[in-house]
Amino acid sequence: MKRIIVILTLICMLPVCADAQWYLFPGNKKKQKNQKEEVKEAVIPSTPEVPADTLAAGIDSVDTEDLFVFDRPSLIQISLILPLQASSENPSSSFLEMYSGALLALRDLGDEGLKLRLKVIDSSTADLEGNSEIISESDVVLGPVSYNNILKTLPHCDRHQMLISPLEPKSAALTDSCNVIQAPSSWTSQVDDLICWLEEELVIGDEVIVLKDNSEKGFGEQSRRMISQLEQRQLRYREVSSLEGLGIEDNITYRVLIASDSDAFITRSVRSAGISAELKKQVVLYTTSRVRNCVDSNVADLYNANTRMTAAYHVDYDDEAVKRFVMAYRAVFKSEPGSFAFQGYDTMMYFVKMCDEYGRRWHKKLPEKSERGLQSDFRFSEEEGNGRANIAVRRVVYNKDLTTTLL
C-alpha cells in the first residue's frame, strides 16, 4: 500500500513541474505516444532558433556568446533514465527516491519560469534502442546509472549530446573518449584535495605520519596515489605501521594519513588515532570518505582524532537550503529524503540550469560555472576530452563536540 501511495504521489507531481511522458508501467507506451502532448505556456520569452545557414556552416566551429544565446531552447527536453523497476513487485526504493528529488528540482525550476518537459525511462525494463528517438531529442540526458547501460545508451545520443552519469564511479574512465559527464567526483580528486588540505594546514614543527599498510593487497592504487601526491609536493613524512610504537611527544602536532586500501587496516588505524588523540596528544587525522564504510560503531574515533575528510557527498543539515528541501520533501512524499533524493535534486538542478543559461551546447561552458549543491558540488577543469569529470570535493571537519563542519 505504501508503495502505491508513493507512486501515485509521483504521478501527481508531474503536472506541477513538467509536461512529462514516462514509461513506468507496461502497456502505456503506445497509448502515450498517440496522445497529443500539451505544454504549458512559457513564462520566459522564446529565444530565436539558430539560422539554417549557421548550422550548415558547422555549429562547433563557432564559439561566440551570441551563438550560445541563439541556441537556448525555449522548451528544455529532459530524459531521466533510472532502473526504477516500477512494474515489478519490488520497485527500487533508492531510485524512486532519486526520481522524487529530481522532480522537486524541476518544480523549483518551473517556479523560476523555465519551460520543461521530462521523459522518464525505466532502464530495468525499457528497450533503450526503442527509446533512441526520445534520447536523441533531449537537451539534457541524466542517466543511466550502471556502466553497462551507459555504454548501451551512448550510440543513441546525438554527437553533440552529453550523457550525464549520476552515480557510477567507473564511468569517469569514459570521459576522455566518450560524450560522458561524470557527476560525482572521483576518489582521485578526493585524494588530491586531501593532500592539498594537509599542506595548507601544515606549520613549522608539525610532523606528517603515514600509517602504511605493507601487505601486498593493502597497499593498492589509492595508497600509491597518496604517496605520489606527497612526494610531488615535496612534503616530508615518516612511514610507520601503527601509532602505538611511534613515541608521540606532547609538544608536536602529528598530521596522520592512512595509506591502505584495506577496510580492516583503516578501521584499526582510525581507532588508534582516536585513542592517541583522546590521551591529550595532538593528532589530526586526514582521510577520504572511504573511512565512512570502515568505522561503523566507532564513529566517535573520527571526532576524537580531529578528522579532516574529503568527500564527494556530505549534507549540512544546518544549511537553510537543505532545511527547505527536507521540509518540501516531507510535505510531498511523506518521508525523509536520503542520499539518493539529494543527488537527484542536485544533478537535475545544476545541469538543467546550465542548459537554460548556455543553450544546447551547455557542456562547453562547464568549466566556467561552478555551483554548490545541497549534498555535492560541481566544478569542471579546463582539460577537455570528449566528456568531462567533476572534480569538486567537499571538506568536512569532525569536531570534538561531536558536530561536523562543512568548509
Side-chain angles (χ1 to χ4, degrees):
M1 185 65 184
K2 184 176 180 182
R3 181 168 65 249
I4 294 173
I5 293 173
V6 170
I7 294 175
L8 287 175
T9 303
L10 295 176
I11 296 173
C12 294
M13 278 286 294
L14 292 173
V16 175
C17 60
D19 176 25
Q21 286 185 349
W22 60 316
Y23 305 124
L24 294 184
F25 301 102
N28 284 357
K29 183 175 180 181
K30 289 184 179 179
K31 181 179 177 182
Q32 290 185 349
K33 209 169 189 178
N34 295 328
Q35 289 177 344
K36 183 178 179 181
E37 295 176 348
E38 296 181 359
V39 183
K40 295 185 297 182
E41 286 203 16
V43 181
I44 55 176
S46 299
T47 52
E49 297 293 331
V50 178
D53 56 346
T54 303
L55 290 171
I59 229 175
D60 280 341
S61 64
V62 184
D63 274 321
T64 66
E65 293 300 322
D66 290 339
L67 181 57
F68 279 102
V69 174
F70 262 116
D71 202 31
R72 287 179 60 194
S74 58
L75 171 66
I76 299 176
Q77 307 266 12
I78 306 159
S79 287
L80 179 61
I81 309 173
L82 296 175
L84 299 167
Q85 301 176 4
S87 59
S88 71
E89 293 184 0
N90 296 300
S92 171
S93 58
S94 294
F95 291 112
L96 281 173
E97 183 182 290
M98 190 172 186
Y99 176 33
S100 303
L103 286 179
L104 283 182
L106 292 177
R107 187 189 71 169
D108 290 349
L109 290 167
D111 290 343
E112 293 177 12
L114 275 67
K115 188 177 177 183
L116 312 163
R117 177 176 292 157
L118 172 68
K119 298 181 181 181
V120 179
I121 300 172
D122 187 348
S123 59
S124 64
T125 56
D127 177 12
L128 292 175
E129 185 173 351
N131 288 286
S132 60
E133 186 176 350
I134 291 174
I135 296 169
S136 64
E137 291 176 351
S138 298
D139 303 304
V140 177
V141 182
L142 185 55
V145 298
S146 74
Y147 184 83
N148 288 337
N149 275 341
I150 288 170
L151 292 178
K152 291 178 183 177
T153 306
L154 279 171
H156 307 300
C157 293
D158 182 87
R159 66 188 182 90
H160 299 302
Q161 281 181 304
M162 285 288 170
L163 191 156
I164 303 162
S165 171
L167 291 174
E168 176 57 71
K170 289 193 296 184
S171 63
L174 299 173
T175 58
D176 286 338
S177 57
C178 302
N179 290 4
V180 173
I181 293 174
Q182 174 66 13
S185 57
S186 65
W187 66 264
T188 58
S189 295
Q190 291 186 46
V191 170
D192 295 352
D193 191 70
L194 186 69
I195 303 304
C196 180
W197 191 2
L198 181 146
E199 185 178 27
E200 290 170 8
E201 295 191 330
L202 197 61
V203 298
I204 296 174
D206 292 353
E207 186 168 355
V208 178
I209 302 296
V210 175
L211 299 178
K212 184 179 178 182
D213 188 343
N214 293 314
S215 66
E216 185 175 344
K217 291 183 179 180
F219 192 74
E221 190 176 16
Q222 296 190 34
S223 302
R224 287 193 293 272
R225 187 175 185 91
M226 179 180 291
I227 297 298
S228 173
Q229 286 295 307
L230 285 170
E231 292 176 349
Q232 284 183 27
R233 294 177 180 275
Q234 298 182 340
L235 297 176
R236 297 179 60 185
Y237 63 92
R238 180 156 46 129
E239 288 184 5
V240 296
S241 57
S242 69
L243 289 177
E244 281 74 7
L246 184 61
I248 293 179
E249 300 179 23
D250 292 335
N251 59 341
I252 296 177
T253 297
Y254 295 89
R255 302 190 181 273
V256 179
L257 295 162
I258 304 173
S260 175
D261 289 20
S262 163
D263 287 354
F265 187 92
I266 293 172
T267 301
R268 291 195 301 271
S269 298
V270 172
R271 182 65 179 150
S272 174
I275 292 173
S276 297
E278 208 170 6
L279 295 173
K280 309 300 183 184
K281 307 299 182 183
Q282 296 298 313
V283 172
V284 181
L285 177 65
Y286 293 80
T287 182
T288 66
S289 59
R290 177 173 180 170
V291 74
R292 290 169 171 166
N293 300 324
C294 305
V295 294
D296 295 327
S297 59
N298 296 324
V299 66
D301 291 326
L302 293 177
Y303 297 98
N304 291 334
N306 307 292
T307 302
R308 272 73 168 137
M309 182 180 71
T310 53
Y313 310 115
H314 183 80
V315 179
D316 178 9
Y317 286 95
D318 292 326
D319 183 83
E320 290 301 320
V322 170
K323 291 178 182 178
R324 287 194 296 271
F325 173 78
V326 171
M327 295 300 290
Y329 194 95
R330 288 173 181 169
V332 175
F333 301 110
K334 313 301 180 187
S335 63
E336 294 295 315
S339 179
F340 280 84
F342 283 104
Q343 187 67 0
Y345 185 93
D346 282 346
T347 51
M348 185 66 78
M349 178 68 73
Y350 175 72
F351 291 107
V352 172
K353 284 171 67 176
M354 286 295 298
C355 182
D356 174 62
E357 186 168 352
Y358 296 113
R360 293 183 176 90
R361 298 169 70 245
W362 51 266
H363 58 276
K364 298 283 187 181
K365 292 288 189 177
L366 285 173
E368 300 178 20
K369 189 75 172 183
S370 300
E371 186 164 306
R372 196 172 183 89
L374 301 178
Q375 174 177 261
S376 54
D377 303 325
F378 299 93
R379 181 166 60 90
F380 295 86
S381 71
E382 294 288 348
E383 297 179 10
E384 183 179 2
N386 285 3
R388 296 209 182 256
N390 185 13
I391 58 173
V393 172
R394 293 202 153 187
R395 293 181 174 184
V396 183
V397 177
Y398 285 76
N399 305 306
K400 289 285 191 179
D401 62 357
L402 303 183
T403 63
T404 57
T405 302
L406 177 62
L407 300 183

